Amino acid sequence: MVSMRRKSVVNYFDRLCVSRAGNPREFWRAVRPFMHAKKSAPEQCITLRDQETVIRDQNQVAETLNKYFSNITKDLKLDEHLPFRTQSHFPKIHSANGTLPRMNTFDFHPTTFGVVGEILKKIKPNKAQGYDLIPPSVVKASFQTIARPLSNLINTVITRSEVPDIWKHGQITPHHKKDSVLDKANYRPVTVLPVFGKVFERIAHMQMSDHFEPIKYMFAYRKFHGCSTALLTLTEQWKAELDRHKVIGAVAMDLSKAFDCLPHELILEKLEFYGLSAKSISLLRSYLSSRHQRVKLGNTFSSWIGVSAGVPQGSILGPLLFNIFMNDLVYTIENSKMLNYADDTKIYLSHSEPQIVEGGINRDLESARLWFKENGMMPNPKKYQAIVLGSKGCDINFQCANETIPTSNEINLLGVMLDSKLKFDAHVASVCRKVGGQVNVLSRLQNILPCKIKESLYRAFVLPHFYYCSQVWHHCGSRNTKKIEKVNERALCLRR
């Protein structure tokens, strides 16, 4: 029996390897569960527990999730946001120099069929289709035919400042984040929009990006920026301050459902202040208003429901609008320095006196809390993280909204574990543990898979752990370097 089972396993993987050239997606879909504990594909069947009632019927599950996603701002009981020009920090913006976007008027301008054609050529054909059932692969294949009429349509949209309703209907696929799969709050709504609407968004994004390029402390959703540049900026400044024998305090703030809570009228007020013309504001108001969504679970769909706040997670314009919305937070931070990556905001302060570090950060935490309240955001002080570097045993306490923020010797920022001595011991241990798990899987498949397939698996599942933000942590000392080299040697041996 054992021999027959082993032969069937070998035959199964042989078939997979043979079919890899013709159907690589099927190959990776079959292999990934062996290598990954995480689910990369969205759930096709979800069971929820809502008010002690277990819901298994997929129609009810879809309706429950859709209602929850569309009413997040009501469920969080957010304070009503204040008009932008009446907010407490608004006078400080006028006195800022160098970090404010250019105040000259911005206008959306007509595009050309050449630009539209280039965008269509770059469409990823394996992306999901929207509710209109137009596959991106078909749009990409026919770009030469549709580029000119589509550019005419987009120019009409820009001229009339009116986005078609069909482009504002999003189909949501719930993705489980963490913790209990029965809790609807543990699902993230990822919106799939019509492909032609995303072409319009790409053109609007290209035109707006240059206007807002002077924003310097935001690292998400920008060209030549990312997790590694954000962490390098942070750690290099910390190293310089530690060399001067300073004490550094840092707090990572947490927002609840930030993308889903963004008030539409407030972002439009900010865009007007930053120089967008009345016609451009009208176009973006049309883009944000009258949006509808439904939830898709396999072949089950919820009913359509209107959305009155937030930007779609899965859109192209949404992340840019969120960055613009968060831009003025920096003007409330008077003592510390700030770094922002999407909805992850960190403030940090260095000084030779620990009491000054504590007082300065606590005042800035209160200022940030007030900004979140005035802008309709929901901070979650219970999930704030704090770390102190170079403290030499001194006692520093950070507080926000009467909540004491626990100070740890290690803090997870953007997937990298930073410790109070910047030696990256915890991160290297985490990388070795993850790679060790992958190596154990590869060892069980060592005599089943051919060398080329094992090399592909090594490149797909092992190397990314070593490469992620490696510029930040690879200078981690000889002891940690030997650990990394040892576990990598184990993985390389299995490629033979």
Side-chain angles (χ1 to χ4, degrees), residues 330-367:
V330 71
Y331 302 111
T332 71
I333 308 299
E334 296 183 334
N335 306 288
S336 313
K337 293 182 179 179
M338 189 183 103
L339 185 145
N340 177 279
Y341 192 94
D343 57 347
D344 293 327
T345 302
K346 299 93 185 165
I347 60 173
Y348 53 98
L349 176 63
S350 63
H351 200 275
S352 55
E353 296 294 332
Q355 294 80 8
I356 294 178
V357 173
E358 178 183 310
I361 286 184
N362 284 338
R363 287 192 296 273
D364 287 338
L365 285 172
E366 179 59 27
S367 299

Side-chain angles (χ1 to χ4, degrees), residues 36-272:
H36 257 303
K38 284 186 178 180
K39 292 183 179 179
S40 58
E43 290 78 3
Q44 300 295 316
C45 183
I46 295 176
T47 301
L48 294 178
R49 184 175 62 235
D50 191 25
Q51 297 180 352
E52 303 304 322
T53 301
V54 176
I55 306 173
R56 291 187 175 89
D57 181 76
Q58 293 305 286
N59 285 303
Q60 293 184 35
V61 170
E63 292 291 347
T64 301
L65 287 171
N66 198 25
K67 185 178 179 182
Y68 170 72
F69 292 146
S70 61
N71 291 322
I72 281 177
T73 53
K74 296 177 183 177
D75 294 340
L76 290 177
K77 298 179 181 178
L78 297 172
D79 293 315
E80 188 69 26
H81 70 270
L82 297 181
F84 184 47
R85 295 177 183 272
T86 65
Q87 294 182 12
S88 57
H89 68 285
F90 184 79
K92 302 173 187 176
I93 301 178
H94 285 287
S95 60
N97 294 314
T99 56
L100 197 65
R102 299 186 301 272
M103 297 304 292
N104 56 302
T105 301
F106 168 85
D107 265 310
F108 288 109
H109 55 80
T111 188
T112 65
F113 75 92
V115 172
V116 173
E118 287 298 317
I119 293 173
L120 294 175
K121 279 197 293 185
K122 294 178 182 177
I123 288 177
K124 295 180 180 179
N126 59 344
K127 290 292 185 180
Q129 62 189 19
Y131 85 100
D132 57 357
L133 303 181
I134 301 176
S137 57
V138 173
V139 174
K140 180 184 177 73
S142 56
F143 77 93
Q144 291 179 324
T145 304
I146 65 176
R148 190 176 293 276
L150 182 57
S151 64
N152 292 336
L153 174 59
I154 291 174
N155 287 338
T156 302
V157 169
I158 293 174
T159 303
R160 296 179 58 182
S161 299
E162 187 175 344
V163 180
D165 285 341
I166 193 174
W167 291 356
K168 297 187 287 185
H169 283 61
Q171 194 159 268
I172 289 179
T173 304
H175 285 251
H176 179 247
K177 296 183 292 185
K178 58 181 180 179
D179 299 333
S180 173
V181 295
L182 299 176
D183 189 350
K184 60 188 176 183
N186 293 331
Y187 288 87
R188 176 185 293 111
V190 177
T191 307
V192 179
L193 297 165
V195 63
F196 292 137
K198 296 188 81 169
V199 175
F200 159 74
E201 289 190 48
R202 176 64 64 191
I203 290 170
H205 185 283
M206 290 166 58
Q207 295 185 16
M208 288 180 65
S209 292
D210 290 340
H211 185 72
F212 290 96
E213 188 55 34
I215 300 175
K216 295 180 180 178
Y217 59 89
M218 290 193 167
F219 290 84
Y221 318 119
R222 299 178 66 193
K223 254 184 190 178
F224 312 117
H225 293 71
C227 293
S228 57
T229 51
L231 288 170
L232 273 174
T233 300
L234 201 66
T235 54
E236 290 303 311
Q237 290 181 8
W238 288 1
K239 288 175 184 177
E241 294 301 316
L242 288 174
D243 288 343
R244 299 187 187 101
H245 307 288
K246 299 286 187 69
V247 176
I248 304 170
V251 176
M253 294 182 280
D254 181 82
L255 290 173
S256 299
K257 312 293 184 182
F259 280 83
D260 303 312
C261 297
L262 189 146
H264 291 168
E265 281 305 316
L266 184 53
I267 181 60
L268 293 174
E269 290 178 30
K270 294 186 179 185
L271 289 168
E272 182 182 14

Side-chain angles (χ1 to χ4, degrees), residues 288-309:
L288 291 170
S289 62
S290 303
R291 301 199 72 92
H292 291 78
Q293 67 182 35
R294 71 177 181 184
V295 169
K296 176 180 182 294
L297 294 176
N299 295 319
T300 303
F301 301 90
S302 71
S303 56
W304 290 102
I305 193 167
V307 182
S308 59

